[in-house]
């Protein structure tokens, strides 16, 4: 008796792929402004954001991927735990940076992660970025530095916030590259379900060793924490993860540099943080870099394998 082979899923249109990427960047750009409205310690914000996001993803992974989870080797589990710890530290450092510096500076510096990704992928995965891609990354990085120039000059607490944001970028790159290393061994749903859960547990356990409240917040703060889990995390991250199945990882990573531009715009009416002309020029440079990387992506053949990016 003959069996009809399964029909492969149709490849989405370019409009759908790029539209999803744009919507993902818009979603993650709301993270920093929302965090400013949460009247809670940075560690608690990180812990609850990931806990609320991880719960449905882990349940889905347990329902649909139990056989897949059981088949993972101890080595893969080790990489998953390391990835989750890197993600937890990324959120802990970046969200803490928003207590010391402006939204524009913090988000601009944390989105320098493509530079660190390129470095780590070259060392760990032997992946290289072409000359045009490197030029685009350099232009985006220069624009991000301009956006945060005021804090570099101010020093003190603002400078400490910048340091925390850069640490967040480095840790996000570690999470990004580990995802590229292990994603061939499992589905996306299983990967994020496990990694988000590891990060959430790590942040919850951290409260046992620090004097930081985990409950007792106002209803508005709880609403913000749920909003952070739904909009930047579940919607934003999911769309960015979907994008890298059809677009190169460096392109998706550089495109997320539109986040500081949008976050800066949201901060004007919501937080009264008006950017100066230096920050506006920096935002323009970042956008031009994204356009250069888009041209580089159009010339890439064949499409690269998928990869899990980090976004805030």
């Amino acid at each position: 008796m003959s069996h009809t082979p399964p029909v492969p899923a149709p490849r989405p249109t370019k409009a759908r792929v790029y539209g999803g990427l744009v919507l993902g960047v818009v979603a993650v750009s709301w993270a920093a402004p929302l965090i400013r409205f949460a009247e809670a310690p940075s560690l608690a914000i990180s812990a609850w954001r990931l806990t609320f996001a991880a719960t449905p993803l882990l349940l889905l992974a347990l329902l649909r991927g139990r056989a897949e989870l059981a088949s993972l080797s101890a080595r893969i589990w080790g990489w998953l735990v390391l990835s989750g710890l890197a993600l937890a530290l990324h959120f802990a450092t970046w969200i803490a940076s928003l207590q010391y510096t402006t939204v524009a500076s913090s988000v601009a510096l944390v989105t320098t992660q493509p530079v660190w990704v390129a470095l780590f992928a070259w060392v760990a995965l032997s992946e290289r970025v072409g000359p045009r891609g490197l030029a685009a990354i350099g232009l985006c990085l220069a624009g991000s530095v301009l956006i945060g120039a005021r804090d570099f000059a101010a020093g003190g607490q603002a400078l400490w916030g910048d340091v925390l944001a850069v640490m967040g970028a480095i840790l996000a790159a570690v999470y990004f590259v580990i995802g590229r290393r292990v994603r061939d061994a499992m589905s996306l749903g299983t990967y994020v379900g496990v990694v988000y859960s590891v990060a959430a547990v790590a942040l919850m356990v951290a409260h046992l060793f620090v004097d930081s409240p985990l409950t007792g917040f106002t209803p508005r703060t709880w609403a913000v924490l749920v909003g952070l889990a739904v909009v930047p995390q579940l919607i934003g991250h999911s769309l960015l993860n979907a994008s890298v199945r059809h677009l190169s990882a460096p392109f998706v990573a550089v495109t997320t540099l539109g986040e500081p531009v949008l976050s800066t715009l949201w901060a004007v009416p919501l937080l009264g943080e008006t950017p100066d002309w230096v920050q506006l020029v920096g935002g323009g440079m970042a956008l031009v870099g994204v356009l250069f990387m888009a041209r580089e992506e159009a010339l890439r053949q064949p499409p690269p394998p998928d990869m899990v990016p980090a976004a805030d």
Side-chain angles (χ1 to χ4, degrees), residues 53 131 308:
V308 176

Side-chain angles (χ1 to χ4, degrees), residues 217-237:
F217 308 133
T218 64
R220 187 184 78 167
T221 293
W222 284 114
V224 169
L225 295 175
V226 173
L228 283 168
V230 173
V231 179
Q233 199 72 31
L234 291 177
I235 296 177
H237 276 222

Side-chain angles (χ1 to χ4, degrees), residues 195-221:
V195 171
Y196 284 11
S197 299
V198 169
V201 170
L203 290 167
M204 286 294 183
V205 170
H207 278 85
L208 300 176
F209 303 95
V210 298
D211 184 17
S212 177
L214 192 58
T215 58
F217 308 133
T218 64
R220 187 184 78 167
T221 293

Side-chain angles (χ1 to χ4, degrees), residues 83 86-87 90 110 112-121 125 166-180 307-311:
S83 180
L87 185 62
H90 158 70
V110 79
T112 60
Q113 59 177 280
V115 177
W116 305 103
V117 167
L119 175 62
F120 296 158
L125 304 176
V166 172
M167 290 173 61
I170 294 173
L171 290 161
V174 172
Y175 159 73
F176 192 110
V177 173
I178 292 176
R180 172 67 180 91
M307 179 176 181
V308 176

Side-chain angles (χ1 to χ4, degrees), residues 41-246:
S42 59
L43 192 60
I45 296 173
S46 305
W48 284 116
R49 170 181 173 171
L50 277 167
T51 298
F52 289 145
T55 300
L57 292 174
L58 180 60
L59 290 175
L60 189 62
L62 291 174
L63 287 173
R64 299 178 58 181
R66 281 176 292 181
E68 184 180 14
L69 289 169
S71 67
L72 299 178
S73 66
R75 180 172 174 271
I76 294 298
W77 276 108
W79 282 116
L80 291 175
V81 171
L82 184 59
S83 180
L85 292 176
L87 185 62
L89 289 171
H90 158 70
F91 280 117
T93 52
W94 173 63
I95 290 178
S97 76
L98 287 164
Q99 296 183 347
Y100 301 99
T101 188
T102 63
V103 166
S105 298
S106 175
V107 182
L109 292 172
V110 79
T111 48
T112 60
Q113 59 177 280
V115 177
W116 305 103
V117 167
L119 175 62
F120 296 158
W122 173 59
V123 173
L125 304 176
S126 299
E127 293 183 356
R128 294 183 180 273
V129 179
R132 278 188 288 262
L134 289 174
I137 289 175
L139 188 58
C140 288
L141 178 58
S144 296
V145 170
L146 274 180
I147 291 175
R150 284 192 305 188
D151 283 359
F152 284 117
Q157 283 195 335
L159 185 59
W160 174 237
D162 293 339
V163 171
L164 288 171
V166 172
M167 290 173 61
I170 294 173
L171 290 161
V174 172
Y175 159 73
F176 192 110
V177 173
I178 292 176
R180 172 67 180 91
R181 191 180 187 93
V182 302
R183 273 284 286 113
D184 288 341
M186 69 192 72
S187 66
L188 175 62
T190 299
Y191 177 82
V192 296
V194 172
V195 171
Y196 284 11
S197 299
V198 169
V201 170
L203 290 167
M204 286 294 183
V205 170
H207 278 85
L208 300 176
F209 303 95
V210 298
D211 184 17
S212 177
L214 192 58
T215 58
F217 308 133
T218 64
R220 187 184 78 167
T221 293
W222 284 114
V224 169
L225 295 175
V226 173
L228 283 168
V230 173
V231 179
Q233 199 72 31
L234 291 177
I235 296 177
H237 276 222
S238 297
L239 288 172
L240 293 176
N241 282 323
S243 298
V244 292
R245 296 185 68 87
H246 310 287

